[in-house]
Amino acid sequence: MPKHISAIVVVLILILGLASPVQAATPRSSWVENEIYQYNHPFASQLPQELATKMQKMTASPFAFYRGTDSIFYRDMQTLPSSGFVNSSTSAIWLEGDMHLQNLGGMRDGNDNNVFDTTDFDEGYLGPYVWDLRRMAVSILLAAKENGLSSSDAQDIVRNFLDAYLNKMSDFKGTNDELSYRLESSNTNGVVKDLIQNTSGKSRSSLLTKYTQLNNSNNRVFQTTSELQPVSSSTYSDIAGAMNSYIASISSSKRYNNSYYTLKDIRLKLGSGTGSLGKYRYYLLIEGPSSATDDDRILEMKQEGSSAVAIAVPGLLPTSVYGNQEGARVAIAIKAMLSNTDPLVGYTTVSSIPFMLHEKSPYQVDFDYTLLTTKSKFMDAMGYAGKVVAKNHAISDKDYDAAIAHHIINNVTAGLWRIAGIANNGSEQLSWSVILKILHLQPKNVGSIFNSSQDPTHWNYWQREALIYTSGILDNLSGDLVAPRCFTVTQPSANILWLWLEDIQGSPGTTWDLERFGVAARHLGYLQGSYVMARSLPSESWLSRDWHRVWVSNIDFYKPHTRDL
């Protein structure tokens, strides 16, 4: 790790355009340098001084370096073997995406509860739940070493974090308790309790005093400092013009009167964060609930790019699900993993750049891991961290309705989504919807009987469903039985396929009565009989043969009962 930090000066020169990088060499250090360059160089033209600040911050410690290199983490996730603790139901859940110690903190939620929770979701995306745990575990090891703790103590702290996560997930199983679960000063102690109590001592007036002032006309405006810089008139106009789109992105149930969002001033914010340095970040001063100057609100407007998690699983969360707007992705992730969310969370686009907006909260207190100077303090705090991550993951399952409720058992299926919109046909507006089914070749999970395969003769060949739709076989079924139309099949990456299917309205099989099952059985029997009497079976090599016999022979419960039919 120190070698990587010392190389940052070289990388900085490359990023700012003073040289061109060479192809990544075999040694890890050269590969890391190239990865930092490739990930950061696209932002060199917009805020080069912020990239310089990022590189400087990353030299402070291995932990700081880790904060700024989430892309490297997910490059590594691409190559690591699949976890034996992940199955088809847990391989594509909502992740925070950049889970480390300093993305936790004290905050006041949308119902005015002072809590310990997750504070950043810029990398929110779908993926195996263990990736959030791994990323947090590494940050714990690095921070513990920085604080002078032994390696064995650091490993004990990681185990405590994981135990707390697993125990809390077990508590949530079969309940909706995660929706109301909170870590407050009443059920915490130590550094975390102190953090929450510090949150309750914050005030809006202190935040406004820190960043704003009253001008000669008694109007509140931003101060101008080294970290708060005025924007050009064209930038001001562009942001002001994007406010209506931002307001429209907020759910109508949480939207205030338009006067609440009246824009009063704008500043470019410099020097915040680590990983996001180099991207645009603005502070927007808006009117708030009244025309008085003491209840104005500050919005933080952050430029968003593709999630680093997508490096490891490209296409697992289709961009069409969030309207190809990365700010919308972050807003969705926040709502998926937090309850009582900030009512000002939204998104907009300025000069083709996607942004996420939320309130710059007066009540947020950053988590200071340097206070964890003993093993017992660290153990307590990371126990609470494990519960927070468990709560995030539990909330984001069926309680969040962006995806169709679908319990995935087969490893081939990575996700099932309904995508809807409005089409303009002259003066007429037409509603439309399609079903997007995502298939993927998942690394083998030793604990699953539904592993996907790339062998076309295997009973669970991962491309079979896509091939049956594109082959034309389903176009000529006999009788009244028809398949949903498949509009197209696309392949965003080597091991992922997207099936764009007709949205069929009807009653799910779980609600059918016996008579309805009888109707389905007659249709299926007629179809099967047509092949016996008048038609030849399709001969494509990828079609499954002896499917039931092969399937049950792989399941221990059925093996004693298997017989030829």
Side-chain angles (χ1 to χ4, degrees), residues 140 143-145 147-161 189 191 369-383:
I140 291 171
K145 184 175 182 179
N147 288 1
L149 276 68
S150 68
S151 175
S152 61
D153 285 349
Q155 291 178 45
D156 287 344
I157 295 166
V158 170
R159 292 188 188 97
N160 189 54
F161 162 72
N189 58 40
V191 171
Y369 69 88
T370 64
L371 298 175
L372 306 177
T373 53
T374 66
K375 180 180 179 180
S376 61
K377 289 181 180 179
F378 224 133
M379 291 278 282
D380 284 346
M382 291 306 97

Side-chain angles (χ1 to χ4, degrees), residues 198-211:
N198 288 342
T199 297
S200 63
K202 296 284 186 175
S203 68
R204 185 170 303 283
S205 61
S206 295
L207 183 75
L208 291 175
T209 299
K210 179 178 180 180
Y211 291 113

Side-chain angles (χ1 to χ4, degrees), residues 131-350:
W131 288 355
D132 267 354
L133 302 183
R134 287 174 177 174
R135 185 142 178 85
M136 175 61 90
V138 175
S139 80
I140 291 171
L141 294 174
L142 294 174
K145 184 175 182 179
E146 184 178 330
N147 288 1
L149 276 68
S150 68
S151 175
S152 61
D153 285 349
Q155 291 178 45
D156 287 344
I157 295 166
V158 170
R159 292 188 188 97
N160 189 54
F161 162 72
L162 296 173
D163 286 344
Y165 173 88
L166 293 171
N167 290 336
K168 185 50 63 178
M169 287 296 284
S170 179
D171 291 344
F172 290 146
K173 184 179 180 180
T175 76
N176 291 317
D177 292 349
E178 66 270 20
L179 297 177
S180 57
Y181 182 73
R182 297 190 298 270
L183 285 172
E184 304 174 281
S185 59
S186 61
N187 61 355
T188 57
N189 58 40
V191 171
V192 170
K193 181 173 184 174
D194 292 344
L195 184 71
I196 297 170
Q197 291 177 335
N198 288 342
T199 297
S200 63
K202 296 284 186 175
S203 68
R204 185 170 303 283
S205 61
S206 295
L207 183 75
L208 291 175
T209 299
K210 179 178 180 180
Y211 291 113
T212 69
Q213 60 189 7
L214 295 176
N215 63 15
N216 294 334
S217 301
N218 206 39
N219 294 320
R220 188 168 294 281
V221 295
F222 279 119
Q223 301 172 23
T224 296
T225 68
S226 60
E227 293 186 352
L228 289 178
Q229 291 291 302
V231 299
S232 67
S233 58
S234 61
T235 297
Y236 197 113
S237 177
D238 289 342
I239 293 175
M243 288 298 289
N244 284 338
S245 175
Y246 157 63
I247 296 169
S249 75
I250 300 172
S251 169
S252 58
S253 63
K254 292 190 174 185
R255 196 180 303 153
Y256 301 118
N257 292 330
N258 282 349
S259 60
Y260 189 104
Y261 307 97
T262 300
L263 186 60
K264 302 176 73 172
D265 204 4
I266 304 173
R267 287 290 185 272
L268 173 66
K269 178 65 173 71
L270 301 175
S272 291
T274 299
S276 59
L277 284 167
K279 298 178 182 177
Y280 290 117
R281 185 189 303 246
Y282 298 101
Y283 280 2
L284 279 55
L285 186 67
I286 60 174
E287 186 67 75
S290 78
S291 59
T293 58
D294 60 356
D295 61 359
D296 291 355
R297 301 301 198 254
I298 298 176
L299 296 178
E300 184 176 49
M301 180 175 175
K302 299 175 69 176
Q303 178 184 350
E304 301 293 350
S306 299
S307 168
V309 185
I311 293 171
V313 279
L316 190 57
L317 178 61
T319 59
S320 55
V321 168
Y322 49 87
N324 304 300
Q325 218 283 5
E326 298 297 338
R329 171 186 56 77
V330 178
I332 292 171
I334 292 171
K335 295 169 186 176
M337 287 180 272
L338 293 181
S339 56
N340 305 324
T341 56
D342 172 12
L344 295 179
V345 169
Y347 56 90
T348 193
T349 302
V350 179

Side-chain angles (χ1 to χ4, degrees), residues 393-404:
H393 289 174
I395 287 178
S396 70
D397 63 2
K398 60 183 175 61
D399 303 308
Y400 186 66
D401 61 1
I404 299 169

